[in-house]
C-alpha cells in the first residue's frame, strides 16, 4: 500500500465520522418532534388519564419513601441504643464509644437517604458521584483537618493515653480532660485549658506519667565536708522506710501483682458478686445443660494454673530505697536518694520528704552547706 491509498482511507473514515456526528442532532430533533406530534394527536381524556396515572404512581412512591424513612429512622435509633448499651456493659472507653456511635449513626442515615431517593425514582448514581467528587474536593481543602481526624482515630484505637492521664506532649503538660475527633483537651496544673491537634499527637512523642503503676522519686542531698557519710545514709534510709508510701522490697513485673491487696480484694469481691448474680439469673436451659459450665470451669482452672506458673518465672524488680554518695563537689558532698512509690503518691511523697530531710537531718549532726570560698591571709614582716 502506498501513501496515496493510505490518505484516501483516512479521508473516507473522517467523512463517515462527520456524517454520523451530523446525523445525531438530527435524530434527536426528529425524536422530539415525534413526541410532540404524539401529544398533539392525544385526546384530552388520554392526556388527563396519563397525568393522573403519573401522579398516583408518584404518590405511591412518595408514601412508600416516607414509610421507609420513618421505619429506617426507628431501626437506626434501635441499633444506636443497642450499640450504646453494649458499649456500657463492656465498659468501653468513653471517647471511643462516642466516636463509634456518631460514626454508625452518620453511615446509617446516609444509606437510608440514598435508599429513599432510589424509591422516589431518582437516579442514585449521580448522587453517589456527586458525593464522591465533593468528598475529594473537601479532602483536598481540609487535608490538615483530615490528618487530625486520622490521628484521633489512631489515638482512640491504640490508646497511648486516656482521659485522666497526666501527659506531656507538644511542649505542654497536663491532665487529659477530653479526647475529641480532631483534638485533645488537657488541663494544666494551674487549670488552663490547652487544645492540641491530634495529628501532631499521633506522630510525635508523648510522655505519659500515669501509664505505669509505680514511679521513682529522686533527690540529691548535699552535706558538708567533715560530716559522717554513714550516719547521713542511715538517717536518710530510716526516714524513707518510715513512710508507708515507699516501696520496701522487690515487686513482680506483672500488672496483676502490682496491685495493692486492697484493690485485689475489691476486684475479687466484685467478681464474686457478678458470679452470684449470674447464678441467680440462670435459666432452666442452663440448669439442664450445666455440665458445659463445669467443663468451662475446669478449663479456666487449668489456664489459671498455667498463668500462675508463667508469672512465677518472670523476673522481679528491686525497688527498695537506694542511698549512695554520688559526687564530691567543691563545697559539698552530694548523696543520691531514690525511692519507688505508686504514681498517685509521687508529688506528695516528693514534697513531704524534702521537708523531713531539712528538719530531721540536722538532728543527727549533719549540716547543709552553701557555696563558699576560703581565703587564707599570710602576713609578711617588714625588713
Amino acid at each position: 500500500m502506498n501513501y496515496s491509498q493510505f490518505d484516501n482511507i483516512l479521508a473516507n473514515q473522517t467523512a463517515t465520522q462527520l456524517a454520523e456526528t451530523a446525523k445525531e442532532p438530527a435524530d434527536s430533533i426528529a425524536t422530539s418532534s415525534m413526541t410532540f406530534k404524539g401529544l398533539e394527536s392525544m385526546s384530552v381524556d388520554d392526556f388527563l388519564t396519563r397525568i393522573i396515572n403519573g401522579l398516583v404512581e408518584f404518590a405511591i412512591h412518595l408514601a412508600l419513601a416516607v414509610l421507609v424513612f420513618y421505619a429506617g429512622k426507628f431501626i437506626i435509633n434501635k441499633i444506636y441504643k443497642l450499640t450504646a448499651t453494649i458499649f456500657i456493659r463492656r465498659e468501653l472507653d468513653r471517647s471511643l464509644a462516642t466516636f463509634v456511635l456518631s460514626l454508625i449513626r452518620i453511615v446509617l442515615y446516609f444509606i437510608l437517604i440514598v435508599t429513599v431517593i432510589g424509591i422516589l425514582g431518582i437516579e442514585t448514581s449521580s448522587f453517589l458521584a456527586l458525593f464522591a467528587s465533593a468528598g475529594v474536593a473537601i479532602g483536598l481543602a481540609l487535608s490538615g483537618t483530615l490528618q487530625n481526624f486520622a490521628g484521633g482515630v489512631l489515638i482512640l484505637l491504640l490508646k497511648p493515653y486516656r482521659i485522666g492521664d497526666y501527659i506531656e506532649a507538644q511542649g505542654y503538660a497536663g491532665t487529659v480532660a477530653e479526647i475529641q475527633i480532631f483534638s485533645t483537651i488537657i488541663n494544666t496544673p494551674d487549670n488552663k485549658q490547652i487544645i492540641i491537634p491530634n495529628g501532631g499527637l499521633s506522630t510525635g512523642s508523648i510522655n505519659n506519667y500515669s501509664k505505669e503503676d509505680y514511679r521513682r522519686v529522686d533527690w540529691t542531698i548535699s552535706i558538708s565536708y567533715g560530716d559522717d557519710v554513714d550516719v547521713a545514709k542511715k538517717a536518710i534510709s530510716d526516714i524513707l522506710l518510715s513512710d508507708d508510701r515507699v516501696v520496701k522490697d522487690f515487686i513482680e513485673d506483672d500488672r496483676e501483682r502490682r496491685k495493692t491487696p486492697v484493690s485485689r480484694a475489691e476486684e475479687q469481691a466484685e467478681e464474686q458478686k457478678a458470679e452470684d448474680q449470674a447464678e441467680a439469673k440462670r435459666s432452666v436451659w442452663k440448669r439442664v445443660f450445666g455440665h458445659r459450665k463445669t467443663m468451662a470451669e475446669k478449663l479456666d482452672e487449668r489456664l489459671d494454673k498455667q498463668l500462675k506458673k508463667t508469672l512465677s518465672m518472670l523476673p522481679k524488680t528491686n525497688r527498695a530505697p537506694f542511698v549512695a554518695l554520688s559526687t564530691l563537689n567543691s563545697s559539698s558532698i552530694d548523696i543520691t536518694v531514690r525511692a519507688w512509690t505508686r504514681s498517685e503518691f509521687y508529688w506528695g511523697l516528693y514534697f513531704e520528704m524534702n521537708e523531713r530531710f531539712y528538719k530531721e537531718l540536722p538532728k543527727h549532726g549533719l549540716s547543709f552547706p552553701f557555696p563558699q570560698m576560703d581565703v587564707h591571709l599570710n602576713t609578711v614582716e617588714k625588713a
Side-chain angles (χ1 to χ4, degrees):
M1 182 184 292
N2 54 21
Y3 289 104
S4 61
Q5 292 176 349
F6 184 71
D7 292 338
N8 292 331
I9 292 172
L10 288 177
N12 292 331
Q13 291 179 353
T14 304
T16 304
Q17 292 176 357
L18 291 173
E20 291 177 355
T21 305
K23 191 184 294 183
E24 289 178 358
D27 292 340
S28 61
I29 294 172
T31 303
S32 301
S33 62
M34 290 176 63
T35 303
F36 284 114
K37 287 181 179 180
L39 291 175
E40 290 176 357
S41 62
M42 187 181 300
S43 62
V44 177
D45 294 337
D46 294 337
F47 182 71
L48 292 176
T49 302
R50 188 170 182 180
I51 291 177
I52 291 171
N53 291 334
L55 292 176
V56 170
E57 185 178 0
F58 177 75
I60 293 173
H61 285 290
L62 182 61
L64 183 61
V66 173
L67 180 63
V68 170
F69 176 77
Y70 281 103
K73 186 178 179 181
F74 176 78
I75 293 172
I76 289 172
N77 290 332
K78 288 294 183 182
I79 293 174
Y80 182 86
K81 292 180 181 179
L82 178 62
T83 309
T85 304
I86 293 173
F87 286 167
I88 293 173
R89 289 179 179 177
R90 297 286 184 179
E91 296 182 355
L92 192 67
D93 185 69
R94 186 178 63 185
S95 304
L96 181 60
T98 305
F99 172 75
V100 173
L101 288 174
S102 61
L103 184 62
I104 289 174
R105 172 171 281 182
I106 292 172
V107 171
L108 291 178
Y109 267 109
F110 176 76
I111 295 173
L112 178 61
I113 291 173
V114 172
T115 304
V116 170
I117 291 173
I119 292 173
L120 291 175
I122 303 173
E123 186 65 29
T124 57
S125 59
S126 58
F127 283 93
L128 295 176
L130 180 63
F131 283 130
S133 59
V136 173
I138 294 173
L140 293 175
L142 303 175
S143 58
T145 305
L146 291 178
Q147 183 182 2
N148 294 329
F149 173 79
V153 173
L154 290 176
I155 290 171
L156 291 172
L157 292 177
L158 301 179
K159 297 179 181 179
Y161 55 84
R162 299 185 180 186
I163 294 176
D165 289 353
Y166 188 87
I167 66 171
E168 182 179 358
Q170 304 293 315
Y172 300 99
T175 304
V176 179
E178 295 182 27
I179 303 176
Q180 299 179 352
I181 297 177
F182 298 103
S183 60
T184 295
I185 300 176
I186 65 173
N187 290 333
T188 60
D190 56 348
N191 204 25
K192 291 187 293 186
Q193 189 179 84
I194 308 296
I195 301 175
I196 305 176
N198 288 331
L201 289 175
S202 62
T203 57
S205 300
I206 300 175
N207 191 356
N208 191 342
Y209 293 94
S210 304
K211 192 71 172 179
E212 297 296 331
D213 294 334
Y214 291 91
R215 289 183 61 187
R216 194 184 72 185
V217 192
D218 295 346
W219 296 273
T220 300
I221 301 175
S222 300
I223 60 176
S224 300
Y225 278 97
D227 292 345
D228 195 334
V229 176
D230 294 332
V231 172
K233 291 170 62 176
K234 187 178 184 305
I236 294 171
S237 298
D238 292 340
I239 293 173
L240 293 176
L241 295 175
S242 64
D243 197 307
D244 295 334
R245 294 169 295 181
V246 177
V247 178
K248 310 297 190 303
D249 205 347
F250 289 83
I251 293 181
E252 289 83 356
D253 284 338
D254 61 280
R255 291 179 296 176
E256 185 64 25
R257 297 186 181 182
R258 286 181 192 172
K259 298 178 180 177
T260 60
V262 177
S263 63
R264 209 174 297 143
E266 291 177 353
E267 287 189 358
Q268 291 176 357
E270 291 178 358
E271 291 176 358
Q272 185 64 33
K273 184 179 179 181
E275 290 179 0
D276 294 340
Q277 292 177 354
E279 183 69 21
K281 295 180 180 179
R282 281 203 312 169
S283 61
V284 178
W285 181 270
K286 290 184 179 180
R287 292 177 186 270
V288 175
F289 297 96
H291 62 279
R292 296 184 178 179
K293 183 177 180 181
T294 305
M295 294 175 61
E297 289 177 352
K298 291 181 179 179
L299 182 60
D300 290 339
E301 291 178 359
R302 185 178 300 176
L303 292 176
D304 289 339
K305 290 181 181 179
Q306 292 179 356
L307 180 60
K308 290 179 180 179
K309 184 178 179 181
T310 304
L311 293 177
S312 63
M313 299 171 62
L314 293 175
K316 297 181 179 181
T317 303
N318 185 7
R319 290 179 176 168
F322 174 81
V323 181
L325 193 152
S326 60
T327 308
L328 299 176
N329 278 329
S330 58
S331 58
S332 66
I333 299 174
D334 295 341
I335 298 176
T336 298
V337 182
R338 296 171 182 171
W340 287 87
T341 185
R342 295 190 64 85
S343 299
E344 59 267 25
F345 302 145
Y346 180 88
W347 289 113
L349 182 67
Y350 177 78
F351 291 116
E352 290 181 20
M353 283 298 166
N354 279 336
E355 186 175 351
R356 290 190 63 181
F357 291 149
Y358 179 74
K359 290 181 179 179
E360 297 182 18
L361 289 182
K363 297 178 182 179
H364 297 273
L366 304 173
S367 59
F368 301 107
F370 49 88
Q372 58 187 350
M373 180 182 296
D374 294 335
V375 179
H376 301 276
L377 298 178
N378 296 324
T379 59
V380 180
E381 296 180 358
K382 295 182 179 179

